[in-house]
Amino acid sequence: MNSSEATVVVHSPRSRPADLCSRWSVDQVEALLQMPFNDLLFRAQQVHREHFDPNAVQRSTLLSIKTGGCSEDCGYCSQSARRDTGVDAEPLMQLEQVVESARAAKRRGASRFCMGAAWRGPKDRDLDAVVGMVREVKQLGLETCVTLGMLKDGQAERLKAAGLDYYNHNIDTAPEHYDKVITTHSLLDRLRTLEKVRAAGIKVCSGGIVGMGEGRRGRAAMIAELANMETPPESVPINSLVQIDGTPLAGAETVDGFDFVRTIAAARITMPTSYVRLSAGRSEMSDELQALCFLAGANSIFYGERLLTTDNPDADQDERLFDRLGLTGV
Ligand code: SAM
Ligand code: DTB
Ligand code: SF4
């Protein structure tokens, strides 16, 4: 099946009966992941070229505006207060510091600035401050993105009014695997927030993590869940788990690099018009592996030397990589 043969989903993610009205069944996505590597990459590259300039890569810079001390127990995360990871809780950053950081990101060439907070969700008082940040960053001429956890009614509308372009909220893993990784909230909670974001007219950024013991079937289920959303996310971050000492997932079996590339290719084929972001984990990847991810249809990266609490390749390194590959950063 290809995207032009796809059936249109009419159900919301909450009401959709599993696999009944789906564009992509888990079996179909798993079949993609099992294709001969060259066939899979060829198909992904064909789909990519139908919708995007194959040599352009979007660049988003991340800033942790509120680090550590989070109430949630996500098994991969350095910022959960329940774990001893060496990441201490810090207060919300001041507006001026955030704006300065956004200015620097713009000077380096980023087109989007993404602000992340280690919250289960924002209190209304927190949101007042973030609304001010979104407004000022937007005024710099950058696209804006925030990732603040679960939203209450009315909060997405306030963010939209401030000029928010994207809200990042990942489904993180396969539905069947979710409660092995996170117990303090459910996938349904996440989907409800995504519905609020959509209803407010904000673009959705949602993806997940590879390397949490999900297996090939789990990766297929995660991609199918994203691709079958009533409107698939405009931006799909695919993270490779950054193992953090002190978390339950430190020491998890690492995923073969080619399987990571296959996951990117499956995201590209099943969500042809979405930006697919080669997200966390690039510091542990060779230039050659990253090049395969671009060939598989990744067309966005996190840009700048820091993710939230861990390192990312610095801008100079990425510029050299882009030069070697003839890629243009946008
Ligand atoms: N607290 C908010 C939330 O959970 O949505 C926002 C920040 S949270 C750190 C954003 C996303 O970063 C997570 O959903 C997860 O996909 C990703 N992430 C966090 N730690 C990671 C790690 N160690 N390796 C890879 N991705 C990670
Ligand atoms: C996403 O999918 N990946 C980003 C962003 N959304 C917020 C976060 C990656 C975090 C990697 C580990 C860390 O730096 O703490
Ligand atoms: Fe908190 Fe987000 Fe980390 Fe989960 S992923 S512990 S919600 S900061």
Side-chain angles (χ1 to χ4, degrees):
M1 163 168 160
N2 63 38
S3 56
S4 58
E5 296 160 357
T7 347
V8 175
V9 168
V10 287
H11 295 85
S12 75
R14 235 190 305 170
S15 62
R16 174 176 45 76
D19 275 4
L20 266 186
C21 297
S22 309
R23 292 184 193 89
W24 290 90
S25 69
V26 177
D27 284 344
Q28 285 170 324
V29 180
E30 194 176 21
L32 289 177
L33 294 177
Q34 281 164 347
M35 282 169 72
F37 190 75
N38 289 345
D39 291 344
L40 175 62
L41 259 67
F42 183 67
R43 178 154 167 204
Q45 185 60 209
Q46 278 179 315
V47 171
H48 192 43
R49 281 166 188 263
E50 280 171 28
H51 301 279
F52 291 101
D53 173 349
N55 300 308
V57 177
Q58 189 279 328
R59 294 173 297 178
S60 294
T61 293
L62 251 183
L63 176 69
S64 182
I65 57 169
K66 158 70 183 79
T67 304
C70 184
S71 62
E72 303 306 281
D73 71 349
C74 311
Y76 48 80
C77 189
S78 61
Q79 304 196 72
S80 167
R82 298 162 189 248
R83 315 252 145 76
D84 187 6
T85 63
V87 172
D88 297 325
E90 290 171 20
L92 182 62
M93 273 174 80
Q94 294 295 311
L95 174 67
E96 196 37 55
Q97 265 181 292
V98 173
V99 175
E100 193 40 54
S101 186
R103 272 198 207 100
K106 190 177 180 192
R107 277 196 298 273
R108 279 195 309 260
S111 55
R112 189 177 310 155
F113 193 67
C114 179
M115 295 163 269
W119 289 322
R120 173 180 166 87
K123 300 190 182 76
D124 283 332
R125 185 165 38 89
D126 300 325
L127 202 74
D128 294 341
V130 175
V131 157
M133 294 171 189
V134 169
R135 197 172 286 130
E136 299 247 341
V137 172
K138 183 76 180 170
Q139 272 171 13
L140 299 177
L142 284 160
E143 287 185 315
T144 53
C145 176
V146 295
T147 179
L148 312 172
M150 292 180 280
L151 296 179
K152 294 189 288 229
D153 285 347
Q155 292 187 320
E157 285 74 12
R158 292 194 58 204
L159 290 165
K160 173 71 183 174
L164 186 70
D165 295 299
Y166 289 84
Y167 194 88
N168 168 245
H169 200 59
N170 292 340
I171 64 161
D172 281 321
T173 192
E176 299 70 23
H177 197 61
Y178 201 85
D179 60 6
K180 297 192 187 78
V181 179
I182 300 155
T183 69
T184 46
H185 55 261
S186 66
L187 176 59
L188 195 57
D189 292 328
R190 302 289 279 189
L191 295 176
R192 285 193 177 122
T193 287
L194 290 175
E195 285 184 347
K196 291 189 171 91
V197 169
R198 270 269 168 253
I202 299 166
K203 284 182 257 196
V204 168
C205 174
S206 188
I209 304 178
V210 169
M212 302 199 296
E214 68 284 339
R216 191 169 266 182
R217 181 84 184 163
R219 290 188 280 283
M222 177 177 87
I223 297 294
E225 184 70 25
L226 293 164
N228 290 331
M229 287 179 182
E230 192 170 340
T231 304
E234 283 80 3
S235 166
V236 181
I238 305 292
N239 297 276
S240 169
L241 176 69
V242 179
Q243 296 199 1
I244 311 278
D245 288 345
T247 63
L249 281 160
E253 198 181 329
T254 54
V255 171
D256 179 69
F258 297 132
D259 281 324
F260 184 80
V261 177
R262 286 171 182 279
T263 310
I264 298 259
R268 166 51 62 228
I269 292 165
T270 58
M271 292 171 273
T273 62
S274 304
Y275 279 83
V276 175
R277 181 172 307 130
L278 166 55
S279 302
R282 289 200 300 121
S283 288
E284 288 76 39
M285 291 178 198
S286 66
D287 282 2
E288 290 78 4
L289 184 56
Q290 293 184 63
L292 284 175
C293 292
F294 296 129
L295 192 63
N299 60 347
S300 170
I301 57 167
F302 283 124
Y303 182 62
E305 68 282 353
R306 203 79 181 140
L307 292 168
L308 293 174
T309 66
T310 66
D311 289 341
N312 195 44
D314 62 35
D316 291 345
Q317 241 173 299
D318 281 338
E319 259 160 44
R320 281 195 296 276
L321 174 61
F322 280 25
D323 278 350
R324 288 175 76 197
L325 299 174
L327 293 174
T328 307
V330 287

